[in-house]
Amino acid sequence: MENIVVSVCIATCNQERYLDECLESVIGQIDGLACEILIGDDMSEDATPEIVARWAALHPGVIKHFRHAPRLGPAANYQFIVTRARGEFIAHLDGDDMWLPGKIAGQLAFMNAHTDCPAVYTNAIVIDDKGALRGLFNNQQPDRFDLAGMLKYGNFLNHSSLLYRQKYASAIIAISPPFVDYLMHLRLVEFGALGYINRPGVLYRINSSTSMIVNANEHTRELYWQALTSASGKGPVAKELAAGKGDFLRRTFFRATRMRSPKMFIKWWRRVLADHTPHRSIIFFSALVGIIKTTCAIAREGVGIAVGRGVSRVFYRR
């Protein structure tokens, strides 16, 4: 039996509009590489099953289609296919996103050069639901970051860029669903500093018609808070966790502003206040400074775009 190098795990549900582009982006870069593509189809009610079946017929033995009934939900869908992954490495890809050429090759080279690294991510180009360019996912980042870095600035990683060693899959499988990707990143960083490649490896579709952020925004925020507070507030990362809670308030402030919902921010402000966290002053300071810095960054980007300087919006700046 051929040794599988990479298991590509794709979670999808009612994504007929995006799935052809998603699968084409994967097939286009695994030629000559021992890969399997595991697709978890979470009880789709559109043409998603037929699209997957067509691709599986074109690539027998490579694409495996798993159809769920009843619906599992995004997190449990990933866990289902991850348990069946046989590769030395596992890569995640949401069914409404795409990979850019060379993404997998670049990450494998990084992992082979950093044998202590449990997982590696890449930057992403952000597009809208119709495929129009919107900006970059991240600004420039260091090539390694530890738990303190993951807590201080919150989640800045693109889930569809994730590639990790199969031996750490059990940490993801063990999480009780539902959960957001931030919790997976926090579990993986427990095994060592995570890696990051600044070159974009993903086309990330923001606010797609199937996005959790669009369709279950408050539920997603609740799961994010649960992920953040799952980290211990004691020991060497206590101050970073407090700063991360301040960053959570910053994110909530801008979401509430966009939605014109001051009640949302007030609700979460009280929720964070009720959390008996050490270094509470750091929470407030981090939130205030973060709001000011983000406002200034948005203003600079807006001016740069307006005067034609070629400035790209950065969606997750840290």
Side-chain angles (χ1 to χ4, degrees):
M1 180 180 293
E2 184 180 25
N3 291 326
I4 302 297
V5 178
V6 179
S7 295
V8 181
C9 294
I10 300 175
T12 186
C13 178
N14 294 331
Q15 292 176 327
E16 63 179 3
R17 292 175 54 197
Y18 318 116
L19 206 51
D20 277 316
E21 291 180 322
C22 173
L23 290 170
E24 185 176 3
S25 76
V26 176
I27 293 295
Q29 62 182 278
I30 64 172
D31 186 41
L33 185 66
C35 289
E36 61 178 1
I37 302 173
L38 311 178
I39 302 175
D41 177 3
D42 204 13
M43 199 176 169
S44 292
E45 298 168 336
D46 61 1
T48 293
E50 290 75 17
I51 294 170
V52 177
R54 171 165 48 82
W55 279 92
L58 291 172
H59 303 276
V62 175
I63 296 179
K64 300 178 181 178
H65 185 194
F66 301 96
R67 297 186 66 183
H68 307 314
R71 186 166 290 161
L72 300 181
N77 190 4
Y78 266 111
Q79 289 175 311
F80 179 94
I81 49 181
V82 166
T83 60
R84 287 151 179 81
R86 298 177 294 145
E88 180 184 357
F89 299 94
I90 298 174
H92 288 200
L93 176 59
D94 294 341
D96 55 354
D97 295 335
M98 293 169 275
W99 284 346
L100 293 169
K103 186 261 188 189
I104 288 294
Q107 289 184 299
L108 291 178
F110 184 98
M111 295 296 269
N112 289 330
H114 301 83
T115 56
D116 63 323
C117 183
V120 63
Y121 304 77
T122 76
N123 204 345
I125 294 173
V126 179
I127 59 176
D128 64 18
D129 194 47
K130 297 181 179 179
L133 179 65
R134 294 290 303 277
L136 279 175
F137 202 81
N138 296 137
N139 56 331
Q140 188 78 11
Q141 301 297 322
D143 63 0
R144 300 293 296 271
F145 43 90
D146 57 11
L147 176 60
M150 282 298 300
L151 292 174
K152 186 175 182 179
Y153 298 105
N155 187 24
F156 62 97
L157 297 171
N158 184 274
H159 175 246
S160 287
S161 78
L162 169 60
L163 180 139
Y164 56 99
R165 301 185 192 276
Q166 196 274 341
K167 63 182 179 180
Y168 301 124
S170 58
I172 292 174
I173 296 168
I175 304 172
S176 296
F179 56 86
V180 290
D181 59 318
Y182 187 30
L183 188 53
M184 289 193 285
H185 311 326
L186 290 173
R187 291 292 179 267
L188 289 169
V189 78
E190 293 176 1
F191 300 102
L194 304 177
Y196 186 88
I197 299 173
N198 278 284
R199 182 173 65 86
V202 174
L203 282 176
Y204 168 73
R205 200 180 302 271
I206 192 170
N207 296 336
S208 75
S209 61
T210 57
S211 168
M212 275 185 64
I213 295 176
V214 171
N215 296 303
N217 188 268
E218 187 62 16
H219 179 58
T220 303
R221 188 171 296 105
E222 176 66 39
L223 293 177
Y224 185 102
W225 176 251
Q226 291 177 16
L228 181 62
T229 54
S230 71
S232 172
K234 301 178 181 179
V237 296
K239 292 182 179 180
E240 285 79 7
L241 177 57
K245 291 178 179 179
D247 178 75
F248 174 83
L249 284 176
R250 176 193 66 84
R251 294 169 186 243
T252 304
F253 172 83
F254 284 103
R255 172 60 67 172
T257 299
R258 287 191 294 273
M259 298 180 66
R260 300 179 181 179
S261 175
K263 290 183 179 180
M264 175 196 297
F265 183 71
I266 293 170
K267 167 192 169 181
W268 280 103
W269 177 267
R270 291 172 175 169
R271 177 88 172 265
V272 175
L273 277 178
D275 185 62
H276 299 292
T277 303
H279 310 293
R280 186 171 294 184
S281 61
I282 295 178
I283 297 177
F284 301 142
F285 181 78
S286 174
L288 178 61
V289 171
I291 289 170
I292 294 171
K293 290 176 67 176
T294 301
T295 301
C296 292
I298 292 172
R300 285 196 303 270
E301 289 169 358
V303 170
I305 293 170
V307 300
R309 292 178 182 172
V311 177
S312 293
R313 179 181 175 186
V314 175
F315 282 80
Y316 294 90
R317 185 184 298 273
R318 68 192 293 267

